[in-house]
Amino acid sequence: MEENMEEGQTQKGCFECCIKCLGGIPYASLIATILLYAGVALFCGCGHEALSGTVNILQTYFEMTRAAGDVIDVFTMIDIFKYVIYGVAAAFFVYGILLMVEGFFTTGAIKDLYGDFKITTCGRCVSAWFIMLTYIFMLAWLGVTAFTSLPVYMYFNLWTICRNATVVDGANLCLDLRQYGIVTIGEEKKVCTTSESFIKMCDSNELNMTFHLFIVALAGAGAAVIAMVHYLMVLSANWAYVKDACRMQKYEDIKSKEEQELHDIHSTRSKERLNAYT
């Protein structure tokens, strides 16, 4: 009988511990972090592969070559974009961890461990700082989303020309890279539907794959924007939480101080009455 009671208390203790741990998880921050990681992974992975596919298309079908020397051409810009993608992936991996830590520090589990005072004094500064950073990153991701839509638009035009070339017989449609600013005005890099290279490009899977990779990268950038907005809502709620906790802490301090003063006055009067009676 005693063993069953001890086992029941042990199971109850484990259950309460699990409930307490689950209650301390910042689910809103966790969802935002998963969405951020998914968006950044799609943008960085698909964007990197799409840029590599663009280089192959330009070299194979548009017969473009890298400029000699330190001249900045489209291939150099693509290499720079790849390095930017590496930095974005690393930076937002760390930033997502920091936001998750901030979410844990505003939950009841950390509050029970460290007390109200440490949460309110440190939490307000941390929440305000992350709100500012997240707002800036949200604007940055909006710019990235707008910039990523440009290659999607370019590849959509190319894909449309390929589709129309097979529908309309005898049509001579051309795509000139000068109208997109990829090459200078003095260079003539274009392909037309009557050329053999254009037919091979339209029949290859490389064009279709690169186009869809850019679409997925655009979707990933949009998911990162949504994650930033979600983080702003979470951080604003955390800011309100720590602000109310600070006010409550001040109220509790004033209340305890007044109660202590009343207790001291009552004790003093009791002693005076006792002395007068004796």
Side-chain angles (χ1 to χ4, degrees):
M1 185 65 179
E2 292 179 355
E3 292 179 356
N4 293 333
M5 291 179 63
E6 291 179 356
E7 291 179 357
Q9 291 178 355
T10 302
Q11 294 177 357
K12 184 178 180 180
C14 294
F15 179 76
E16 291 179 352
C17 182
C18 293
I19 294 298
K20 186 177 180 180
C21 292
L22 292 176
I25 297 176
Y27 292 100
S29 297
L30 180 62
I31 294 173
T33 303
I34 294 174
L35 184 60
L36 176 64
Y37 282 168
V40 172
L42 289 177
F43 172 77
C44 294
C46 295
H48 183 275
E49 293 301 318
L51 290 174
S52 300
T54 301
V55 171
N56 294 331
I57 290 174
L58 293 176
Q59 291 178 340
T60 304
Y61 304 107
F62 288 89
E63 299 179 354
M64 293 184 62
T65 57
R66 291 181 177 270
D70 297 333
V71 179
I72 298 179
D73 57 355
V74 62
F75 297 106
T76 305
M77 295 300 298
I78 289 176
D79 292 338
I80 293 175
F81 291 150
K82 287 183 178 180
Y83 286 113
V84 170
I85 286 176
Y86 300 149
V88 168
F92 279 91
F93 176 77
V94 176
Y95 191 66
I97 295 176
L98 293 177
L99 289 176
M100 275 296 298
V101 172
E102 192 276 340
F104 274 108
F105 267 91
T106 52
T107 55
I110 302 297
K111 179 180 176 182
D112 293 337
L113 289 175
Y114 295 99
D116 292 336
F117 180 74
K118 292 183 179 180
I119 286 296
T120 53
T121 54
C122 180
R124 285 197 302 172
C125 296
V126 172
S127 296
W129 177 253
F130 277 119
I131 287 174
M132 182 185 68
L133 284 180
T134 304
Y135 184 76
I136 295 174
F137 286 147
M138 184 195 69
L139 296 179
W141 274 109
L142 284 175
V144 170
T145 303
F147 182 78
T148 310
S149 64
L150 295 179
V152 174
Y153 172 73
M154 294 168 58
Y155 273 96
F156 176 77
N157 289 338
L158 183 57
W159 177 77
T160 303
I161 293 175
C162 289
R163 185 182 61 179
N164 292 336
T166 58
V167 174
V168 182
D169 295 333
N172 187 17
L173 304 176
C174 297
L175 178 68
D176 195 345
L177 295 181
R178 291 177 295 182
Q179 63 183 336
Y180 298 108
I182 297 178
V183 296
T184 60
I185 300 298
E187 299 181 67
E188 184 177 353
K189 296 293 182 180
K190 66 178 181 179
V191 292
C192 299
T193 56
T194 56
S195 62
E196 183 179 356
S197 59
F198 184 86
I199 297 174
K200 291 182 180 179
M201 180 178 62
C202 292
D203 293 337
S204 65
N205 294 325
E206 192 172 18
L207 175 64
N208 190 42
M209 179 63 68
T210 305
F211 176 44
H212 286 86
L213 284 174
F214 271 119
I215 293 176
V216 177
L218 178 61
V225 173
I226 296 174
M228 291 292 103
V229 175
H230 195 166
Y231 268 129
L232 280 176
M233 293 187 294
V234 173
L235 292 170
S236 299
N238 292 343
W239 166 261
Y241 168 77
V242 295
K243 188 175 181 180
D244 291 340
C246 183
R247 292 178 178 176
M248 183 62 67
Q249 179 67 33
K250 292 179 179 179
Y251 172 76
E252 293 292 338
D253 292 340
I254 295 173
K255 183 179 178 181
S256 61
K257 185 178 180 180
E258 291 179 350
E259 290 178 351
Q260 183 65 34
E261 291 178 353
L262 291 174
H263 178 72
D264 294 340
I265 293 172
H266 181 72
S267 299
T268 303
R269 289 180 178 177
S270 298
K271 290 180 180 179
E272 290 177 353
R273 292 176 182 176
L274 180 62
N275 293 331
Y277 177 77
T278 56

